[in-house]
Amino acid sequence: MKILVCISNVPDTTSKISFTDNNTKLNTSGIQFIIGPYDEYALSRAIELKEAAGGTVTVLNVGEADTEPTIRKALAIGADDAIRVNAFPKDAFYVASQIAAIAKSENYDLILMGRESIDYNSGLVHGLVGELLGIPSVSPVMKLDVEGGKAVMSREIEGGKEIVEASLPLVAGCQEPIAEWKIPNMRGIMSARTKPLKVVEPASVTDNIKLLNYELPAPKGACKMIDASTPEKLFDLLKNEAKVL
Amino acid sequence: MNFDLNENQQMIARMVQDFGQRSIKPHVMEWDEKQEFPVPLFKKLGELGLMGVLVPETYGGAGFSYFEYITAIKEISKIDGAIGLSVAAHNSLCTGHILSFGNEDQKKKYLPKLASAEFIGAWGLTEPNTGSDAGNMRTVAVQDGDYWIINGSKNFITHGKSGDIAVVITRTGNPGEHRCSTAFIIEKGTPGFSAGKKENKLGMRASETTELIFDNVRVHKDQMLGSKGDGFVQAMKVLDGGRISIAALSLGIAEGAFDAALKYSQERQQFNKPIASFQGISFKLAEMATELEAATLLTLKAADMKIKGMHMTKEAAMAKYYASEVAVKVANEAVQIFGGYGYTKDFPVEKFYRDAKLCTIGEGTSEIQKIVISKNLIN
């Protein structure tokens, strides 16, 4: 089985977010970048599938040269090779178009990625890739098994889960507990240096969205504690101070 | 020399942090209170390749250099110094001795098992009456045909009870005589070879420390490391690397204590200000950070010389001496910054404080390091 895992390079969840260049760019100074945690689950499942049934796992990242440590980590975890599309990942459509451009010529059986990246959290890329390639896309997938050219997946839905089946090739947006989270070992880290990492130039894509600027959400106000024996105080504050009643 | 972490070191640091948060941190105080040596954890560390960091890939290890090794020990020790100590002792003493002085058969037989943590390794030099003065040891090996018969005891041995093999330095000549000691590999289960009392310690309580007892232990001559009489010289070379280990351990403890104190001092409010805004605290932080940086540079220098194959006895002793003293000082100041809370077991600094003290004692006290340093200064 030939599996493509698309990974995003995102700020660590503990990062303090700020902007530069008139609030048009993320201030990356002091920020540690990681593989998108949902993408990491997708990668872990891909490696489990490869270990069980053979095949190859290729990781793909759309990003500039500074994302290579993140890609190397994916190789250390167990991917066989990597492709970096040498471009800044402007928006979901741009990234999806780059993934589709690579996938068109490679005939992957499975294209896995996280249900969303944890920077913009738009959760669009898997659906767009499916559309661009004309193949099924399913998300969020919590369980994925492949048998006889078909994938059986368990999908989270409101208040329960849905079991779906689709023929390969397909795109899946993954989340835990799809696989046991994998930590690279020392041998993986050592071998990651010698695994192939191919850099390709981006396909030309029309700009649909222009970013004007970023704004941080308003800081959280102080928390007011109200004694449980005085619910009328809560009512008063909600009505007269917060004005939500 | 480039002081930045290389890509491998960054990945190793992250790997240890990820693993440690899930599999070490939740149990630190439990292991400490119960004085429990968590054998299953070491098997997992073996799967990650942390039990054979310096062992070449051909013998089943990770095949990294001392730089990556320091990163691994430091990051583990930031979470739990006791686990850092055990990993360091396993890698640099027992495994390191066989790696440096074992013959091909011995390396093939033991290194893959040590690197995977199928075997946990112990190393025995210290005795009840001879710690720093190793030339007068009383554990004696006497030849009997193809075998050597060992009698005596060792103490303060890391993994004395849970270890699967031990490298033991014995006396095979007259006390104080030139080339009077010889090293042997002894497997657990060899008749007459047993663990004695387990020490109840101030700190490093999750790292097992016991006596080793030898009562007519018959060891085949194939288990000898190098030649008869090589033991002391081998042990000193093993300790050169071991000192880098303990320096890295010290750095981890110091950084763990410093990070906790730095964070707390910015959160803790007194007189409507974070306590870090008071000079009494901020100057402490400045001193701690500077000394930590200096200790780091000394350790990296010793490691760099070791990697280049240079004679680094003096530099390793300096790194061990200084980094361990800095760990004690930084942990002490961290407790002070935490005040009353620092004295309780609800906050991490009291454990760093207890653990740090081992670093100025184990693998040669600070005083012994000063002897080593001065001997290398004065002709």
Side-chain angles (χ1 to χ4, degrees):
Chain A
M1 193 157 39
K2 200 170 158 182
I3 307 173
L4 180 70
V5 180
C6 308
I7 60 169
S8 50
N9 178 62
V10 294
D12 189 344
T13 47
T14 57
S15 307
K16 286 213 167 100
I17 301 296
S18 63
F19 304 108
T20 58
D21 294 20
N22 250 346
N23 289 335
T24 57
K25 273 187 183 158
L26 174 71
N27 179 8
T28 55
S29 133
I31 287 188
Q32 175 150 27
F33 282 86
I34 57 170
I35 302 177
Y38 294 117
D39 303 328
E40 209 165 338
Y41 277 108
L43 174 62
S44 297
R45 185 61 190 145
I47 293 163
E48 285 176 0
L49 289 170
K50 181 187 98 165
E51 282 169 358
T56 57
V57 175
T58 300
V59 286
L60 170 64
N61 169 254
V62 180
E64 289 165 328
D66 58 357
T67 70
E68 288 197 2
T70 299
I71 300 172
R72 288 277 174 216
K73 185 182 173 191
L75 293 170
I77 290 173
D80 299 289
D81 60 352
I83 302 167
R84 179 171 69 80
V85 177
N86 187 27
F88 183 76
K90 286 175 218 164
D91 57 54
F93 181 73
Y94 183 84
V95 171
S97 302
Q98 301 304 334
I99 296 169
I102 300 277
K104 250 173 209 158
S105 57
E106 288 290 337
N107 299 318
Y108 294 107
D109 299 301
L110 275 176
I111 301 176
L112 305 183
M113 63 190 79
R115 57 177 278 181
E116 62 195 57
S117 60
I118 61 153
D119 46 6
Y120 292 92
N121 300 77
S122 54
L124 294 170
V125 174
H126 37 75
L128 288 167
V129 171
E131 280 305 305
L132 290 166
L133 292 173
I135 59 174
S137 71
V138 184
S139 180
V141 176
M142 299 160 68
K143 193 168 183 292
L144 184 154
D145 289 299
V146 177
E147 217 181 302
K150 281 182 178 165
V152 179
M153 291 159 280
S154 169
R155 207 181 142 257
E156 189 175 55
I157 56 167
E158 193 71 36
K161 57 183 177 181
E162 182 180 74
I163 314 298
V164 295
E165 187 186 271
S167 56
L168 302 184
L170 66 86
V171 185
C174 307
Q175 72 169 54
E176 77 278 14
I178 192 164
E180 195 168 323
W181 192 62
K182 279 192 169 21
I183 293 177
N185 62 27
M186 300 289 264
R187 274 204 185 179
I189 291 171
M190 184 64 118
S191 65
R193 282 190 302 187
T194 50
K195 287 181 178 175
L197 194 171
K198 190 167 78 178
V199 179
V200 298
E201 288 309 311
S204 152
V205 176
T206 320
D207 267 342
N208 292 319
I209 294 178
K210 186 168 185 288
L211 173 91
L212 300 179
N213 67 298
Y214 294 108
E215 265 177 43
L216 285 174
K220 275 187 192 161
C223 177
K224 281 189 183 165
M225 304 297 283
I226 295 158
D227 197 279
S229 65
T230 56
E232 65 279 2
K233 265 195 188 168
L234 174 66
F235 181 77
D236 179 57
L237 286 171
L238 288 173
K239 187 170 185 197
N240 298 316
E241 196 177 306
K243 295 187 170 37
V244 292
L245 290 178
Chain B
M1 187 180 167
N2 181 358
F3 300 113
D4 295 334
L5 291 188
N6 63 38
E7 207 173 272
N8 288 336
Q9 286 173 291
Q10 288 175 27
M11 259 200 268
I12 290 165
R14 190 80 200 177
M15 177 258 267
V16 174
Q17 288 156 11
D18 285 346
F19 177 77
Q21 286 302 322
R22 282 164 192 241
S23 303
I24 300 177
K25 203 166 184 188
H27 310 290
V28 167
M29 287 316 287
E30 185 194 337
W31 293 332
D32 185 71
E33 302 260 315
K34 291 185 186 164
Q35 202 161 215
E36 180 186 339
F37 177 65
V39 174
L41 173 76
F42 289 90
K43 305 291 175 190
K44 282 191 204 164
L45 291 169
E47 285 169 23
L48 291 176
L50 291 164
M51 298 295 268
V53 182
L54 300 163
V55 174
E57 287 180 275
T58 44
Y59 300 115
F64 280 113
S65 81
Y66 261 82
F67 287 142
E68 288 85 2
Y69 177 61
I70 287 173
T71 302
I73 298 296
K74 194 176 88 171
E75 291 299 329
I76 296 169
S77 309
K78 270 163 101 166
I79 304 168
D80 189 339
I83 305 304
L85 172 65
S86 274
V87 173
H90 173 95
N91 272 284
S92 75
L93 299 181
C94 178
T95 309
H97 199 139
I98 297 173
L99 180 62
S100 299
F101 301 106
N103 60 35
E104 196 55 31
D105 287 346
Q106 290 165 339
K107 287 184 187 177
K108 275 189 186 148
K109 186 172 175 191
Y110 293 113
L111 291 179
K113 287 181 175 165
L114 288 163
S116 66
E118 183 185 338
F119 278 5
I120 291 174
W123 191 76
L125 175 68
T126 301
E127 297 185 2
N129 298 306
T130 58
S132 304
D133 174 20
N136 281 312
M137 63 177 65
R138 292 184 188 174
T139 298
V140 173
V142 178
Q143 193 162 14
D144 177 21
D146 281 348
Y147 286 83
W148 287 79
I149 301 174
I150 303 175
N151 279 291
S153 68
K154 298 278 172 188
N155 73 343
F156 302 143
I157 306 305
T158 306
H159 314 145
K161 183 164 178 283
S162 301
D164 300 279
I165 62 163
V167 171
V168 177
I169 324 295
T170 64
R171 187 158 55 74
T172 47
N174 294 319
E177 193 179 77
H178 185 56
R179 294 175 54 83
C180 68
S181 59
T182 305
F184 292 93
I185 305 169
I186 309 176
E187 293 189 23
K188 193 179 195 169
T190 306
F193 176 47
S194 61
K197 185 182 126 212
K198 178 172 169 172
E199 303 296 344
N200 186 5
K201 306 197 299 281
L202 167 73
M204 301 290 198
R205 290 170 59 82
S207 178
E208 175 187 277
T209 310
T210 74
E211 276 182 301
L212 284 181
I213 296 165
F214 309 89
D215 178 14
N216 285 316
V217 180
R218 282 173 70 81
V219 177
H220 194 268
K221 64 178 184 187
D222 289 349
Q223 299 297 91
M224 185 188 282
L225 282 158
S227 309
K228 178 174 173 279
D230 288 351
F232 188 72
V233 172
Q234 289 178 356
M236 292 305 112
K237 285 193 179 152
V238 168
L239 285 175
D240 279 348
R243 286 178 187 129
I244 296 177
S245 268
I246 303 298
L249 170 67
S250 306
L251 294 178
I253 292 171
E255 275 192 37
F258 175 74
D259 290 351
L262 180 65
K263 185 162 176 270
Y264 182 79
S265 64
Q266 293 171 91
E267 289 167 355
R268 169 76 170 169
Q269 299 262 341
Q270 290 288 279
F271 310 103
N272 297 319
K273 282 180 186 170
I275 60 170
S277 66
F278 299 115
Q279 216 168 52
I281 301 296
S282 63
F283 275 22
K284 274 191 203 302
L285 293 168
E287 285 170 21
M288 291 155 84
T290 306
E291 286 170 352
L292 191 46
E293 190 71 22
T296 304
L297 295 179
L298 278 177
T299 309
L300 289 176
K301 181 174 177 189
D304 187 47
M305 291 174 76
K306 171 96 183 158
I307 292 166
K308 288 174 180 156
M310 295 161 72
H311 180 70
M312 39 59 88
T313 301
K314 181 182 78 186
E315 286 73 14
M318 285 174 163
K320 196 271 183 189
Y321 162 51
Y322 189 72
S324 63
E325 294 289 345
V326 165
V328 170
K329 186 179 166 189
V330 168
N332 182 32
E333 293 288 39
V335 173
Q336 192 66 25
I337 289 170
F338 270 79
Y341 292 111
Y343 204 64
T344 71
K345 290 186 186 285
D346 295 333
F347 290 86
V349 288
E350 72 84 31
K351 182 172 180 296
F352 286 126
Y353 179 74
R354 288 184 288 114
D355 289 348
K357 192 59 204 160
L358 178 277
C359 301
T360 66
I361 298 168
E363 295 192 35
T365 59
S366 288
E367 290 69 26
I368 290 293
Q369 304 311 321
K370 285 191 250 186
I371 292 176
V372 173
I373 296 162
S374 56
K375 268 190 185 166
N376 279 274
L377 294 173
I378 305 161
N379 288 327

